[in-house]
Amino acid sequence: MLNDLPHEAFCHLSEAAACAAAAQAVADLAQDEIRLGPDAERSNRLANLLSAVTICLTAAAAAHERAGI
């Protein structure tokens, strides 16, 4: 199936995959923060990490949409 895609669509799918991988990496960091237990500084870091996950997933969805599939 990937061989049948136009080059531009393949590039957008590659971008989407990279964004999704970044989201997973940041989510893993957030999970580590959760395991460490609650405190105010950790809560701020966790909020920032979760915002970063949202940004990465939004970028992945936009790239997937640009791929047109």
Side-chain angles (χ1 to χ4, degrees):
M1 176 184 153
L2 290 178
N3 290 338
D4 298 333
L5 287 176
H7 178 73
E8 185 175 351
F10 182 80
C11 290
H12 289 307
L13 285 179
S14 295
E15 178 186 356
C19 291
Q24 181 62 56
V26 175
D28 291 344
L29 291 173
Q31 198 170 39
D32 290 343
E33 289 292 326
I34 291 169
R35 279 192 208 107
L36 291 173
D39 78 14
E41 187 176 325
R42 214 170 276 120
S43 293
N44 286 338
R45 282 195 305 264
L46 183 58
N48 290 337
L49 289 168
L50 293 178
S51 292
V53 169
T54 301
I55 291 167
C56 291
L57 291 176
T58 301
H64 186 267
E65 189 173 311
R66 285 191 304 276
I69 55 173

